[in-house]
Amino acid sequence: MRILVLGSGAKDHALAWWLSRSAYISELYMAPGNPGTADIAINLPDTDNSDCEAVYRAVKEHNIDAVFIGTEAPLLAGVREYLAERGVLCFGATKEAQRLEDDKAYARAFTERHGIPTPCNYLCSDMDSLKKYLDNSEENKRFTIKSNSMTPSRVVLSSSDKSAILSYARILFSRGPVLLEDYVPGIHVTATLFLDKNGYLLLPLASEYTNVSHSEGTPTGGMGAIAPIPLKEEIKSQIEERIIIPTLKGMKEEDIAYKGTLTLSIILSESGPVLVDYHVRLNDPATQAMVPIIETDILEILRAMEKDTISSVNLRTSNECTVAVVLAAPGYPMQPETGREIKGIDYSYLMDINSKPLVFVGAVKKTSDGRYFTDGGRNITVVGRGENLQDANEKAYTLIQRRKLDALWYRDDIGNKLFTWES
């Protein structure tokens, strides 16, 4: 089977690595791909994955059997619909389903219709309405503010400082309305599903570190993740019964079910699991943490999704734990410095992909003379694998420190959720 993956980030590299290990794939293509995927797939750097016609030309030229969309830009551009109309097997959210992420007010109404627990929220159309709402709220109450629309990274801020919320809102309003929610304290859980029109397959539960540091609330797209989370079976059952099953039942009832991936951001609060966001795609860096411990051939999953029999798949995983540490460009997340040379990367570093730990490449550019430069905010994810979280943590940071990637910065506490669950 010949597969085309649309994407260029570290999560796409992780997905491509999983696909490359399949016994049933004859050719794997990436559009556009990155320096890391070049060693396990055929990159199509000149194919704009948000250009419907360009993607379709690539499909025809390379005799592609199926296209996998795990990232947001091609979804928003309508690539999935364009390909499906031309008879191409495509895994990705439909335009109708994309509203679960691209219109959070719609998503909140959906959860209310189907009895899914979510935080109390208020949709703000401008600064005046937001300021008025905050002025009328109790002093020192903590809120979470986020864009109402789909964004390349999860740009959210949680704070009790009203001036900080207003300042951050000015950035978000450039994209449209914002959603203000009551802050929900608890454990962060990322639940990733492969789904079809009849059921779902739950991948290992992960937990993501979303702030710049343990003590600083500056939001990022994610600076690390661990998997699997050591949760009691009772808690896992609550996640499925209170959130996952009603979500998929509601999607089927409202005719927005699809074949692709759905990621749910959940908080385990004192009163139980609470849904805070839907993502109709894969999450970074949860994907990098989950993929290395999955032993099931991904083609078994894709074939079942095609036939709407995903619920029959038995997911096989290793007994390992993973700690994924993201290395980012200076200035990230507010103003990442691009064009900064990363001197610690070479071919042998990337070849650690076949050993422990793994290295997944994100926003990195390779020049013709073999040098690597930052090409965006989050550049590399190093994933340690071990018998437990502490072992995995040590493996990840040992490789990072050995390579002395001085051009990049990272959190030094990923995996310490073994001892504390603050994110």
Side-chain angles (χ1 to χ4, degrees):
M1 196 170 188
R2 302 165 73 88
I3 303 288
L4 170 61
V5 176
L6 305 184
S8 61
K11 65 179 178 182
D12 306 302
H13 188 184
L15 175 64
W17 178 77
W18 187 9
L19 285 160
S20 73
R21 297 164 67 84
S22 171
Y24 306 105
I25 293 181
S26 56
E27 294 285 358
L28 176 61
Y29 293 83
M30 297 287 298
N34 64 41
T37 63
D39 291 319
I40 55 175
I42 300 171
N43 283 351
L44 304 177
D46 297 326
T47 299
D48 180 353
N49 63 25
S50 295
D51 184 327
C52 297
E53 292 184 4
V55 174
Y56 184 63
R57 283 197 302 270
V59 167
K60 302 303 290 184
E61 179 181 350
H62 300 288
N63 298 313
I64 300 298
D65 296 303
V67 177
F68 192 102
I69 307 176
T71 194
E72 61 275 2
L75 291 174
L76 290 173
V79 171
R80 186 244 173 233
E81 280 71 22
Y82 190 91
L83 295 178
E85 289 169 1
R86 286 155 181 78
V88 179
L89 177 60
C90 189
F91 299 102
T94 61
K95 277 287 188 183
E96 293 80 8
Q98 286 173 39
R99 293 186 67 191
L100 289 173
E101 181 174 0
D102 196 36
D103 185 346
K104 292 180 177 58
Y106 165 84
R108 290 297 179 262
F110 173 89
T111 57
E112 185 174 341
R113 287 194 297 274
H114 299 286
I116 300 164
T118 55
C120 294
N121 59 87
Y122 174 65
L123 184 67
C124 307
S125 58
D126 53 44
M127 287 292 293
D128 288 341
S129 61
L130 173 61
K131 187 176 185 304
K132 183 177 180 180
Y133 187 90
L134 290 174
D135 287 342
N136 291 330
S137 65
E138 61 185 83
E139 199 67 29
N140 297 321
K141 181 176 180 178
R142 190 170 182 180
F143 292 98
T144 296
I145 187 168
K146 62 187 71 172
S147 173
N148 189 58
S149 61
M150 189 185 300
T151 55
S153 292
R154 288 154 291 167
V155 282
V156 302
L157 175 68
S158 295
S159 177
S160 58
D161 185 337
K162 294 180 181 179
S163 61
I165 293 173
L166 290 170
S167 178
Y168 196 66
R170 290 187 179 90
I171 301 172
L172 299 185
F173 274 123
S174 65
R175 302 181 178 94
V178 303
L179 197 70
L180 187 71
E181 297 180 332
D182 287 356
Y183 172 75
V184 180
I187 301 170
H188 292 249
V189 175
T190 299
T192 304
L193 312 176
F194 278 97
L195 66 163
D196 57 29
K197 295 185 177 181
N198 290 328
Y200 69 96
L201 178 68
L202 176 62
L203 301 188
L205 295 173
S207 186
E208 295 177 297
Y209 293 64
T210 56
N211 295 333
V212 165
S213 71
H214 172 78
S215 59
E216 187 179 344
T218 305
T220 74
M223 293 306 299
I226 63 173
I229 310 175
L231 296 179
K232 295 179 180 179
E233 287 302 319
E234 177 187 358
I235 303 299
K236 293 180 183 178
S237 296
Q238 287 179 5
I239 290 173
E240 293 201 70
E241 293 168 4
R242 299 183 187 182
I243 296 179
I244 295 175
I245 292 173
T247 291
L248 300 186
K249 183 174 180 289
M251 290 173 66
K252 192 170 184 178
E253 288 177 356
E254 300 191 20
D255 198 27
I256 58 173
Y258 62 89
K259 304 171 195 266
T261 56
L262 175 66
T263 304
L264 303 94
S265 293
I266 297 166
I267 298 293
L268 295 184
S269 70
E270 290 183 353
S271 59
V274 176
L275 176 77
V276 291
D277 274 316
Y278 289 118
H279 305 281
V280 292
R281 53 189 168 96
L282 295 171
N283 267 19
D284 178 341
T287 302
Q288 296 94 293
M290 293 183 304
V291 162
I293 59 177
I294 299 175
E295 295 181 341
T296 300
D297 191 310
I298 190 172
L299 254 293
E300 292 181 35
I301 298 172
L302 297 186
R303 284 171 172 169
M305 289 166 65
E306 180 184 4
K307 299 175 183 178
D308 288 319
T309 58
I310 191 71
S311 296
S312 67
V313 175
N314 177 34
L315 187 73
R316 301 180 300 277
T317 61
S318 71
N319 293 322
E320 294 177 307
C321 295
T322 61
V323 171
V325 182
V326 174
L327 284 74
Y332 177 79
M334 303 310 292
Q335 292 183 317
E337 184 180 331
T338 59
R340 178 79 171 266
E341 185 172 5
I342 311 171
K343 293 186 177 181
I345 302 182
D346 56 29
Y347 185 76
S348 66
Y349 187 85
L350 296 181
M351 281 300 93
D352 276 324
I353 197 74
N354 294 314
S355 60
K356 298 180 180 181
L358 304 176
V359 179
F360 296 121
V361 175
V364 172
K365 182 178 181 180
K366 183 180 180 182
T367 58
S368 57
D369 59 358
R371 294 190 296 164
Y372 297 87
F373 294 83
T374 59
D375 196 36
R378 293 177 293 170
N379 312 115
I380 298 169
T381 305
V382 173
V383 185
R385 294 181 288 179
E387 295 180 358
N388 52 49
L389 288 177
Q390 187 172 9
D391 184 26
N393 171 284
E394 291 174 359
K395 285 183 168 65
Y397 283 107
T398 295
L399 179 61
I400 292 171
Q401 291 158 9
R402 189 175 79 228
R403 284 292 172 163
K404 298 180 180 178
L405 300 170
D406 297 333
L408 309 178
W409 71 269
Y410 55 91
R411 281 183 60 160
D412 61 6
D413 63 336
I414 309 301
N416 291 354
K417 284 192 174 182
L418 183 65
F419 311 107
T420 174
W421 286 96
E422 292 298 323
S423 66

